[in-house]
Amino acid sequence: MKNFEYKRAESFEQAGEMLAEKGKNVLIAGGTDLIGSLKDRILPEYPDALIDIKRIPGSDTVSVEDGVLKIGALATLTQVAESSETKQFAPLLAEAAKSVATPLIRNKGTIGGNVCQDVRCWFYRYPHETGGRLICARKGGDQCYACQGDSRYHSVFGGMRAHANPCSVGCPAGTDIPAYLQKIREGNWDAAARIVLRVNPLPMLTSRVCPHPCQKNCNQRKHGESVNIHCVERSLGDYILKNMHKYYRAPDSETGKSVAIVGGGPAGLTAAYYLRGQGHRVTVYDKMEEAGGVLMYGIPEYRLPKHYVRAVVKAIADMGVEFRCGTEVGRDIKIEEIEASNDSVFLDTGAWKQPLLGLDGESLTQFGLNFLVEVKQFMRKQIDKNVLVCGGGNVAMDVALTAVRLGAEKVTLVCLEQREEMPATEEEIARALEEGVEIINGRGLSKVIYENDRVVGMETNRCLSVRDENGRFHPTYDDSDLFTLKSDCVILATGQKVDLDFLGDKFKDEVKSARGLIEVGEHNETRKPGVYAGGDAATGPDIAIRAIRAGGNAAKNISSYLGFPVHECRGDQDDGFLRFDREGTQAHQANRQRELPVSQRTLADEDEYSYEDGTAEKEAKRCMNCGCYAVNPSDIATALMALDATVVTTRRRVKAKDFCTAALRVSDQLLPSEVIEAFEVPVVQGAVMHYDKFRLRKSVDFAIVSVASLYRAENGRFTGARIVLGGVAPVPLEAKEAEGYLIGKPVGKETAEAAAKLATRNAVPFEKNQYKVNELEAVLKASILRIK
């Protein structure tokens, strides 16, 4: 076992101070749990120091004062089990303490340590025994191995979030993807919509154009194909479109503050939605005829039909947002005028300018984004026969496919990256190949080949590497390896540039960064008070969902700046537990959207169809709702909850129910310098109370299921009930429905059976632990039938 620094605390307060010192420090009292964990090296990280609190005076007493049973945090389980006070006033606590393992454990283990002990889980405790070290969700890994592995001893009521899920981390907007997928599985589309709309008011658009980085992080990829998140989101976006009046509503009250938004792209629309929802007056300025930015003008109809964008813009306008389109800031109105007439300004002007690559003959090429904007003009004239598209991202794919569908005889795409490095999504690359686009990888652009004013080709050189050793974009080339691609038309889709000239020299100097972008802080604020920025204008060219994230963050911070801080409520689960569909997660092949055959694809019609009825729910069932599905190991916590005990710490007093159920780890409830000092249990009169526990062997403390119960009955009918279940959920679980049912019911077998069924009604067991439901019902029935 590793050597640790050893410190001894003389008081709980001193122990708290030591905990707060630099480094990872942990307490040791009985040591029955901690020593084994350290010896067996089951943790990914180990503490720097052990703080011994065993000898703190008066920390292990058990007494009754003023109708309250007081137990010091360092009282051993043997003391609690054998104390006459505990046996008399809280017998179920005495029974719970006695049920913990061997006499040796009871003699050493403390009541405080039992409440705070770490999980009992096969994958957590024995990480090497499946052929390789496992880093489970509770240790900071991506998944709970019970979801696809041995789940005999795990929760039958769902899991709890151990940390942010990989898919949500992969989403630039931070969408709580598992939460809305769970609601869709449950058939609650309204709740799913509200979860998504917290961070993304444009899901009907992003689901059609986003490269969905979330799916690259999906844990189902370890077993098969990722969950088709963007397809489910598309169905959800379609649902929102049909119910716009429910989700895009004018505010109930006005703040009297006004905000101007310059640019109606993804970030601007997002900021407008949230700012207006918070009650501010919002005006959007956009130089184009219609708002929407790149969503309206830079993405082809076959990927994003413009009627969807118009529908969203109209819905935001119906909330009370004023759109002044066809108004170019810097020409039709000065930015200073806008700033003077508003309380705050948000800048979102995108990246529409063509960057100069410095190629000979570059002026004879076309700019990819302009090509997409002007595609309707190309439809009225003949496109060149042999088109060369330069670039490897989704814009390049859009340009190439558009050229194909305009009637070009040959379309070739050349890019720096190798196929696996291309920034375009796999789906878009596959679509381009399917429609006849030839892709040439690993070539850079050397010069345009032209005769007089007519392009005839592009000279390329071999690209040796796209990025440097630090991962920064820094291509290197082999100029001895040259190859010319013949072409009548060269379209450059190698990126866009931000143009800040609309700000004027003085204003631009106040907000511009050295990179030629608008410089913003972590709250999207510029150096100019009250002026915020986001989207491509602040980051450079990027995907729409990142601009949406910036627009949402800016809206929240602008509102705070105006004196109206936003308070978010994020409760998504009705009882706090994560659930998944056991059979659905075993389907390792994703459900796909139906596509138009190649022969029927055009520039005007959408290539893909949204899921048919029922398919979104089916695909949502493939989500494992990754969290921790291990169960709380503490018998004492279950008993304290049933007794309505209070946890006394060096900083506060908190009910055991709140302390033991609010977080996956009880220890996470403690503040950095906080230490449990004692437990206070109100003396209960006139109740029959017991702690019943099913386990494999009496010498093993782990509860397969347990029931801490208090019952009152008069004249053969129940007048009171408190039932807390252990070993069946990530935290102790109060059986509230069963408690309510018992009141007024006659004592007897039928009542016991009905209450037991109610207590397990919401159980969602794994395939291998369904037996726990039966055992729980049996233990609970026995506890009820003990009443005569």
Side-chain angles (χ1 to χ4, degrees):
M1 184 166 62
K2 176 185 172 182
N3 289 323
F4 301 96
E5 183 180 358
Y6 174 82
K7 301 178 180 179
R8 179 184 293 180
E10 301 299 331
S11 68
F12 286 114
E13 288 73 16
Q14 186 183 30
E17 293 170 0
M18 291 177 174
L19 277 176
E21 291 175 357
K22 186 177 179 181
K24 184 176 175 60
N25 308 309
V26 297
L27 301 179
I28 183 169
T32 58
D33 186 68
L34 180 62
I35 293 299
S37 300
L38 301 181
K39 176 175 66 69
D40 297 333
R41 299 196 64 81
I42 66 175
L43 301 174
E45 295 181 7
Y46 287 84
D48 300 307
L50 300 182
I51 302 168
D52 188 350
I53 58 174
K54 296 178 186 178
R55 296 168 180 80
I56 295 177
S59 59
D60 61 350
T61 59
V62 180
S63 62
V64 176
E65 301 175 24
D66 301 322
V68 175
L69 175 64
K70 297 184 177 181
I71 305 173
L74 300 187
T76 65
L77 296 170
T78 294
Q79 285 178 272
V80 175
E82 297 180 356
S83 162
S84 59
E85 291 89 349
T86 311
K87 289 180 178 180
Q88 180 180 355
F89 299 110
L92 81 82
L93 182 58
E95 291 171 1
K98 188 173 182 179
S99 76
V100 180
T102 63
L104 176 61
I105 296 292
R106 289 198 297 272
N107 285 332
K108 296 293 184 182
T110 64
I111 183 172
N114 187 274
V115 169
C116 294
Q117 67 180 310
D118 217 335
V119 70
R120 288 293 191 274
C121 168
W122 182 268
F123 303 109
Y124 183 94
R125 291 279 165 179
Y126 309 103
H128 296 289
E129 294 197 8
T130 59
R133 185 172 178 83
L134 298 174
I135 304 298
C136 68
R138 191 179 282 248
K139 293 180 185 176
D142 288 340
Q143 65 176 308
C144 176
Y145 295 97
C147 293
Q148 297 281 356
D150 191 342
S151 55
R152 286 174 291 172
Y153 305 125
H154 287 74
S155 170
V156 294
F157 282 98
M160 287 180 71
R161 191 78 65 223
H163 47 68
N165 278 52
C167 55
S168 294
V169 171
C171 173
T175 308
D176 194 343
I177 294 167
Y180 84 73
L181 291 180
Q182 175 167 325
K183 293 304 179 185
I184 288 176
R185 286 195 296 276
E186 296 170 356
N188 191 345
W189 286 73
D190 180 67
R194 296 189 188 284
I195 290 169
V196 170
L197 290 169
R198 290 180 193 149
V199 295
N200 178 11
L202 315 176
M204 65 294 292
L205 309 182
T206 54
S207 58
R208 287 171 161 84
V209 303
C210 184
H212 39 271
C214 54
Q215 291 183 199
K216 294 179 182 178
N217 288 7
C218 176
N219 281 329
Q220 272 288 17
R221 285 168 65 98
K222 297 179 175 71
H223 311 286
E225 296 178 333
S226 71
V227 176
N228 244 340
I229 298 167
H230 76 288
C231 297
V232 181
E233 182 186 331
R234 174 167 164 159
S235 293
L236 181 58
D238 291 348
Y239 171 84
I240 294 171
L241 277 170
K242 294 175 184 176
N243 297 275
M244 298 290 260
H245 63 283
K246 292 172 61 176
Y247 307 112
Y248 296 76
R249 298 175 59 183
D252 295 330
S253 60
E254 302 287 340
T255 64
K257 300 293 184 179
S258 62
V259 182
I261 297 174
V262 181
L269 292 177
T270 300
Y273 171 83
Y274 291 120
L275 287 166
R276 182 59 190 146
Q278 290 150 18
H280 309 306
R281 182 166 58 84
V282 179
T283 306
V284 178
Y285 296 86
D286 199 295
K287 71 176 182 179
M288 306 298 277
E289 292 181 6
E290 297 184 80
V294 70
L295 299 173
M296 176 60 74
Y297 292 99
I299 298 175
E301 288 268 354
Y302 62 81
R303 275 220 294 150
L304 180 62
K306 301 305 172 256
H307 64 84
Y308 293 128
V309 184
R310 292 188 181 105
V312 173
V313 172
K314 182 181 183 303
I316 294 174
D318 289 344
M319 294 173 67
V321 173
E322 180 183 359
F323 285 89
R324 297 187 184 179
C325 294
T327 303
E328 185 172 349
V329 176
R331 186 192 67 182
D332 302 319
I333 185 172
K334 300 296 182 185
I335 187 66
E336 288 83 1
E337 296 177 56
I338 293 175
E339 183 189 21
S341 58
N342 289 276
D343 298 297
S344 184
V345 177
F346 177 65
L347 303 174
D348 163 42
T349 49
W352 292 87
K353 191 174 181 180
Q354 180 177 4
L356 295 178
L357 303 181
L359 301 175
D360 181 24
E362 186 172 355
S363 62
L364 300 176
T365 66
Q366 296 183 46
F367 179 34
L369 201 55
N370 286 348
F371 174 78
L372 294 174
V373 172
E374 298 166 3
V375 68
K376 289 184 179 179
Q377 296 179 21
F378 280 94
M379 293 174 72
R380 291 193 290 268
K381 64 181 182 179
Q382 188 174 3
I383 192 169
D384 296 281
K385 294 181 179 180
N386 188 348
V387 176
L388 177 65
V389 179
C390 306
N394 277 349
V395 172
M397 297 300 151
D398 288 341
V399 169
L401 279 173
T402 298
V404 169
R405 296 184 190 188
L406 280 170
E409 292 181 5
K410 181 180 181 182
V411 178
T412 305
L413 185 145
V414 62
C415 63
L416 298 173
E417 302 87 359
Q418 297 300 323
R419 182 67 54 84
E420 65 277 3
E421 298 174 314
M422 292 175 68
T425 60
E426 295 176 9
E427 295 93 334
E428 294 306 311
I429 295 171
R431 194 185 305 273
L433 293 171
E434 187 178 33
E435 297 193 27
V437 176
E438 180 186 358
I439 298 177
I440 299 175
N441 296 98
R443 306 296 299 184
L445 308 181
S446 175
K447 65 180 179 180
V448 180
I449 308 298
Y450 57 95
E451 296 175 356
N452 299 321
D453 290 333
R454 187 173 64 86
V455 171
V456 295
M458 172 71 77
E459 183 182 83
T460 67
N461 50 7
R462 186 159 69 95
C463 180
L464 299 174
S465 63
V466 178
R467 299 183 181 278
D468 62 19
E469 62 276 7
N470 298 316
R472 290 189 295 263
F473 182 76
H474 189 265
T476 56
Y477 305 98
D478 180 0
D479 289 328
S480 66
D481 184 347
L482 300 176
F483 180 74
T484 298
L485 297 168
K486 294 181 179 180
S487 174
D488 306 318
C489 171
V490 174
I491 305 176
L492 299 179
T494 52
Q496 297 88 245
K497 186 178 178 182
V498 173
D499 184 359
L500 300 181
D501 289 346
F502 74 96
L503 293 173
D505 292 339
K506 183 176 183 298
F507 203 102
K508 182 165 59 175
D509 287 343
E510 293 183 79
V511 299
K512 192 176 76 167
S513 71
R515 295 174 56 210
L517 307 173
I518 299 176
E519 185 175 1
V520 297
E522 65 173 307
H523 302 300
N524 289 92
E525 78 282 8
T526 70
R527 296 191 303 272
K528 202 168 176 52
V531 178
Y532 294 74
D536 293 355
T539 63
D542 209 334
I543 57 178
I545 191 66
R546 287 201 176 91
I548 287 168
R549 173 67 176 264
N553 285 346
K556 181 173 64 177
N557 291 307
I558 288 171
S559 205
S560 294
Y561 169 78
L562 297 176
F564 297 88
V566 179
H567 302 287
E568 297 177 284
C569 177
R570 292 195 166 255
D572 354 342
Q573 315 301 337
D574 297 331
D575 58 10
F577 295 134
L578 310 174
R579 297 190 175 90
F580 64 91
D581 185 272
R582 188 176 69 243
E583 293 182 6
T585 59
Q586 302 304 310
H588 300 316
Q589 184 172 345
N591 294 280
R592 289 175 171 75
Q593 295 176 151
R594 186 164 61 90
E595 296 183 357
L596 280 173
V598 172
S599 60
Q600 296 178 22
R601 294 176 190 170
T602 69
L603 286 171
D605 300 315
E606 200 167 7
D607 283 355
E608 293 181 313
Y609 297 92
S610 297
Y611 278 148
E612 297 176 349
D613 289 347
T615 308
E617 291 92 335
K618 185 177 178 182
E619 184 63 19
K621 289 179 179 179
R622 297 187 60 240
C623 171
M624 296 188 292
N625 212 351
C626 301
C628 176
Y629 289 82
V631 298
N632 181 274
S634 172
D635 297 273
I636 298 299
T638 304
L640 291 174
M641 268 187 61
L643 290 164
D644 195 29
T646 296
V647 181
V648 182
T649 77
T650 52
R651 305 278 293 274
R652 58 190 168 134
R653 299 166 57 84
V654 58
K655 286 290 186 181
K657 178 181 179 180
D658 298 324
F659 188 80
C660 297
T661 63
L664 185 61
R665 292 179 178 84
V666 172
S667 56
D668 287 345
Q669 281 290 87
L670 293 167
L671 301 172
S673 61
E674 187 177 23
V675 182
I676 297 176
E677 290 186 335
F679 301 93
E680 295 181 355
V681 181
V683 171
V684 178
Q685 302 290 346
V688 176
M689 64 175 75
H690 287 284
Y691 186 76
D692 297 293
K693 179 175 178 178
F694 170 70
R695 49 189 167 173
L696 296 180
R697 297 169 301 186
K698 285 191 176 181
S699 62
V700 178
D701 65 333
F702 181 63
I704 303 300
V705 300
S706 65
V707 176
S709 60
L710 295 87
Y711 302 113
R712 290 187 177 86
E714 292 181 12
N715 302 320
R717 291 184 178 273
F718 286 98
T719 59
R722 185 73 184 273
I723 305 168
V724 179
L725 314 177
V728 292
V731 294
L733 176 63
E734 185 177 356
K736 293 182 180 179
E737 198 170 2
E739 291 172 349
Y741 168 80
L742 286 173
I743 305 305
K745 293 294 189 299
V747 175
K749 184 178 179 180
E750 289 185 6
T751 297
E753 289 179 347
K757 289 293 183 185
L758 283 174
T760 59
R761 189 167 66 90
N762 293 323
V764 283
F766 290 91
E767 181 180 5
K768 296 179 181 178
N769 72 352
Q770 295 183 69
Y771 75 95
K772 279 187 143 190
V773 176
N774 298 330
E775 294 296 343
L776 178 58
E777 290 180 358
V779 173
L780 182 52
K781 280 191 287 187
S783 78
I784 295 173
L785 290 174
R786 193 182 283 119
I787 308 300
K788 300 297 184 184

